[in-house]
Amino acid sequence: MIQILENFSLKSYNTFGLNAVARYFAPFNSKESLVEILSTDIFARSQRLILGGGSNILFLKDFNGIVVHPENKGIEIIKENASTSLVRVAAGEEWDDFVLWAVNNNLAGVENLSHIPGCVGAAPVQNIGAYGVEAKDVIHEVTIFDFKKNRFDILNKDQLHFSYRDSVFKHEFKDACIVVDVVFELSKKHVYNVSYKGLDSKLKECAIVNLQTIRNSIIEIRNEKLPDPKIQGNAGSFFKNPVVEEEDYLRLSEIFDDIVAYKLDNRTYKIAAGWLIDTLGWKGKYHRDAAVHDKQALVLVNKGNATGVDILQLSKNIQDDVFSKFSIILEPEVLFV
Ligand SMILES: Cc1cc2nc3c(=O)[nH]c(=O)nc-3n(C[C@H](O)[C@H](O)[C@H](O)COP(=O)(O)OP(=O)(O)OC[C@H]3O[C@@H](n4cnc5c(N)ncnc54)[C@H](O)[C@@H]3O)c2cc1C
């Protein structure tokens, strides 16, 4: 039995804590209830938004359409051999509950992605990443409901066109499907990825390196660095790290010897957006109740009564400043609705 709620406040469904109201809100907990929602007149005639944990979304106003919200649960091993397990995880599972499950079951691959907020269904959309690992490294296939074909379908890894915080779901499949579950390929033979700056030194404090100590170390680092959305509304990194040509990187590194950048290949570098913003002195600056976090320049926070428009304005001021001083365009990582 489905329920489509009307004039539903999304305040506790977005980590900025913005009080946007959805004209309709439709949670589902099974494939059957999803199909029921998708067969309604309301769905057919409304603008649509799929909303997981709302940890990468900025609501600029009320949403005059239907919000479909996965609440389906389930984590199961569907196939295994001596070295790997294929694990199907429902879109409505909390991402970090899945990471905890993997660590407890001694399966490697997602431990570096510990403590990222949000639901499993968004992981392939965003190609979430942290500490040198991205979702694409472990995703095997994704089950979607395709709104055009009006049926469930499976997309394998090659069809997902992953790149940095990007996937097919932001292009060909934008607003055209919902992720229902994700199959991950996790490893029984552990190869740890612990070279990332900060993680290596934290792990030196541990007697042994294993999935659990990597997870604990990452949670500690994240808690030290990032504001807790339950205390101060935010969506993690607001901007993507810009990728620039080598000549632009060399131009900047001649002027700024402390530039934070990573070589991607022979021609391109990824520059830390947080460094660009911090260098221009934005930490702690604000526009009305929207502020740049005082410890982490890449994170914009709601000091209490910010609107989505306040946060957007602050982000535009930062983008303009970065462009005028560095000639670099900062692209938001967060989706504006
Ligand atoms: C404190 C904090 C720290 C963070 N750290 C990181 C980090 O280290 N690395 C990182 O990559 N991200 C990070 N994020 C961003 C965020 O957690 C991720 O982008 C996460 O995957 C978003 O999940 P969600 O369920 O909240 O998605 P939402 O914000 O609800 O949605 C994000 C996008 O995915 C779409 N979507 C969601 N679910 C589905 C579905 N089932 N089917 C189809 N489309 C769907 C939405 O329509 C939207 O376009 C952080 C955020 C916060 C608040």
Side-chain angles (χ1 to χ4, degrees), residues 50 52-56 117-119 122 126 128-129 165 179 222 234-236 335:
I50 317 301
S55 60
N56 209 36
C119 297
Q126 301 293 104
I128 55 171
R165 299 294 177 277
V179 172
R222 293 181 69 98
N234 74 87
L335 175 81

Side-chain angles (χ1 to χ4, degrees), residues 25-281:
F25 182 81
F28 69 89
N29 57 18
S30 65
K31 282 184 169 177
E32 293 71 27
S33 55
L34 172 63
V35 170
E36 254 190 84
I37 290 166
L38 304 184
S39 322
T40 58
D41 282 348
I42 293 177
F43 184 82
R45 64 180 151 82
S46 302
Q47 196 191 341
R48 297 131 190 202
L49 172 69
I50 317 301
L51 183 66
S55 60
N56 209 36
I57 281 186
L58 178 69
F59 285 105
L60 299 175
K61 54 182 182 180
D62 292 342
F63 183 71
N64 190 21
I66 183 167
V67 168
V68 181
H69 176 62
E71 286 185 352
N72 54 333
K73 300 285 180 200
I75 305 179
E76 56 166 340
I77 295 176
I78 54 170
K79 202 172 170 186
E80 58 187 329
N81 59 29
S83 53
T84 59
S85 293
L86 290 184
V87 184
R88 187 190 302 283
V89 189
E93 286 284 352
E94 285 281 326
W95 172 261
D96 198 49
D97 289 350
F98 162 52
V99 177
L100 178 63
W101 178 94
V103 168
N104 286 343
N105 283 275
N106 214 21
L107 291 170
V110 285
E111 61 282 357
N112 286 32
L113 304 176
S114 288
H115 227 221
I116 296 181
C119 297
V120 166
V125 178
Q126 301 293 104
N127 183 23
I128 55 171
Y131 298 96
V133 173
E134 287 181 307
K136 75 171 172 55
D137 303 329
V138 280
I139 289 178
H140 176 73
E141 65 184 30
V142 173
T143 308
I144 59 165
F145 190 96
D146 184 325
F147 299 151
K148 284 188 202 134
K149 292 183 187 160
N150 201 29
R151 63 170 165 81
F152 291 99
D153 212 346
I154 289 178
L155 301 178
N156 65 39
K157 190 178 178 149
D158 294 338
Q159 294 171 289
L160 297 169
H161 301 159
F162 286 125
S163 61
Y164 171 54
R165 299 294 177 277
D166 201 21
S167 71
V168 75
F169 300 108
K170 293 188 175 180
H171 303 279
E172 292 97 296
F173 276 104
K174 190 170 162 41
D175 300 325
C177 76
I178 181 163
V179 172
V180 179
D181 62 49
V182 184
V183 176
F184 297 89
E185 184 171 343
L186 300 182
S187 175
K188 295 180 182 180
K189 297 186 176 154
H190 303 173
V191 180
Y192 304 125
N193 188 338
V194 294
S195 56
Y196 209 84
K197 199 172 143 235
L199 179 56
D200 49 354
S201 45
K202 186 63 101 184
L203 278 165
K204 288 199 182 108
E205 296 165 19
C206 303
I208 48 165
V209 174
N210 60 25
L211 298 181
Q212 190 63 62
T213 55
I214 294 173
R215 175 173 165 78
N216 293 347
S217 301
I218 284 175
I219 292 176
E220 265 184 55
I221 299 171
R222 293 181 69 98
N223 284 341
E224 283 161 17
K225 257 184 22 184
L226 291 167
D228 179 350
K230 289 192 193 95
I231 297 166
Q232 199 168 39
N234 74 87
S237 306
F238 195 90
F239 299 102
K240 293 186 192 177
N241 293 317
V243 174
V244 301
E245 298 292 321
E246 187 174 34
E247 63 201 59
D248 293 321
Y249 165 73
L250 293 175
R251 171 178 60 80
L252 285 174
S253 60
E254 269 178 28
I255 310 169
F256 303 97
D257 53 11
D258 61 339
I259 188 167
V260 180
Y262 314 91
K263 190 171 184 159
L264 294 180
D265 52 45
N266 283 338
R267 289 181 20 255
T268 55
Y269 283 75
K270 193 188 269 183
I271 299 194
W275 177 84
L276 293 168
I277 301 167
D278 194 14
T279 300
L280 297 178

